[in-house]
Amino acid sequence: MIVSFDNVLTPDELATMRRQLLGADWARGISAGPQAKQVKKNLQIPEESAVLCDLRTLVMRVLNRTPEVMSAVLPFKIIPPNFNRYTVEDSHYGKHIDSTLRPLPDGSYLRTDVSATLFLSDPDEYEGGELKITDTFGEQTVKLPAGSLVTYPSGSLHEVTPVTRGERLGCYMFMQSLIRDTEKRRLLYEMDNSLRRLRTEQGEAHDELVALTGTYNNLVRMWSEC
């Protein structure tokens, strides 16, 4: 399931993040498995960067206040977000599948169910740099406005095509969902979307809406892992 979310960042938040990113130090060749490193050529903010903690806190705050993202992912654990930069010199990330397990700061591991990219550059600021994702519906190309987010299955084959002009700034992260199965997660997301529309039309107290909400919660209870 590939889902995009427009304008999860406010203009002020986007400006703050871009200002910090443009003044940050960048490094090559980090945060990738042995196979992915063979096709990865971009820049990333290293762990020791002074700005990384503030940037991560802002991204997590944005996720927590965006119910649509929470509904689509149903996150159990989220790895601390990272930030990357693509330029003409460090231009691409070839076809790869994200590593299944990622270490967390406490020494435990996260199973990558859902990957996400938060776009921090507008499409007219760079050429190329499309996120291409191959799933059961074929190949999809994603290039969103700055401040928008896309989530997609971590097990899907994907790439960032070469940037040929300008630069592409972004944030990426990996999430372990309470609902491991992608199809079950999709069904719950569609059901929750319908429930939210019904709440707007009928109000919270409508008898059938209360019953359907209970069914949704019981499905989450039956399928969840935590």
Side-chain angles (χ1 to χ4, degrees):
M1 181 173 69
I2 301 172
V3 189
S4 60
F5 308 89
D6 296 333
N7 303 315
V8 298
L9 291 175
T10 67
D12 286 344
E13 288 168 339
L14 177 60
T16 296
M17 294 185 73
R18 285 175 59 103
R19 185 166 57 251
Q20 290 178 300
L21 290 172
L22 292 174
D25 294 325
W26 297 86
R28 293 185 178 91
I30 54 179
S31 185
Q35 189 177 66
K37 282 184 178 180
Q38 303 303 310
V39 295
K40 180 178 181 180
K41 189 180 181 185
N42 66 1
L43 301 169
Q44 184 178 320
I45 294 183
E47 284 293 327
E48 60 270 19
S49 171
V51 303
L52 192 54
C53 181
D54 288 344
L55 288 167
R56 284 173 165 170
T57 299
L58 176 54
V59 172
M60 293 302 296
R61 188 180 301 129
V62 167
L63 293 178
N64 287 332
R65 74 169 186 229
T66 310
E68 296 82 6
V69 177
M70 297 294 102
S71 174
V73 177
L74 291 170
F76 176 40
K77 299 178 183 179
I78 302 176
I79 204 165
N82 285 309
F83 297 82
N84 54 25
R85 180 183 183 189
Y86 293 84
T87 67
V88 175
E89 292 77 23
D90 296 278
S91 65
H92 64 278
Y93 198 160
K95 291 182 178 180
H96 65 285
I97 293 174
D98 293 323
S99 299
T100 305
L101 299 176
R102 294 271 180 166
L104 291 167
D106 64 2
S108 65
Y109 278 82
L110 171 151
R111 184 189 67 238
T112 57
D113 296 322
V114 179
S115 300
T117 295
L118 175 60
F119 288 79
L120 301 174
S121 298
D122 276 315
D124 61 1
E125 295 183 78
Y126 60 99
E127 292 180 1
E130 293 91 357
L131 175 61
K132 289 190 174 183
I133 306 164
T134 303
D135 67 0
T136 54
F137 297 99
E139 185 177 83
Q140 299 192 44
T141 299
V142 184
K143 190 173 184 178
L144 299 180
S148 298
L149 178 80
V150 63
T151 62
Y152 53 96
S154 299
S156 59
L157 187 69
H158 58 281
E159 65 176 313
V160 176
T161 64
V163 169
T164 58
R165 178 187 63 82
E167 70 173 18
R168 175 193 190 269
L169 297 171
C171 169
Y172 67 96
M173 66 204 88
F174 308 102
M175 309 178 196
Q176 180 172 330
S177 177
L178 288 166
I179 310 299
R180 181 173 186 167
D181 185 85
T182 302
E183 182 63 15
K184 291 176 181 176
R185 198 162 58 243
R186 182 186 66 79
L187 291 172
L188 287 170
Y189 177 56
E190 291 176 353
M191 188 175 183
D192 193 40
N193 281 339
S194 296
L195 285 168
R196 282 188 274 119
R197 286 193 294 269
L198 285 172
R199 289 189 188 100
T200 300
E201 296 170 4
Q202 305 293 336
E204 290 283 355
H206 191 282
D207 288 346
E208 295 303 322
L209 181 58
V210 172
L212 285 172
T213 300
T215 300
Y216 170 86
N217 286 323
N218 284 330
L219 286 172
V220 173
R221 185 175 290 111
M222 181 169 61
W223 290 340
S224 64
E225 302 175 359
C226 61

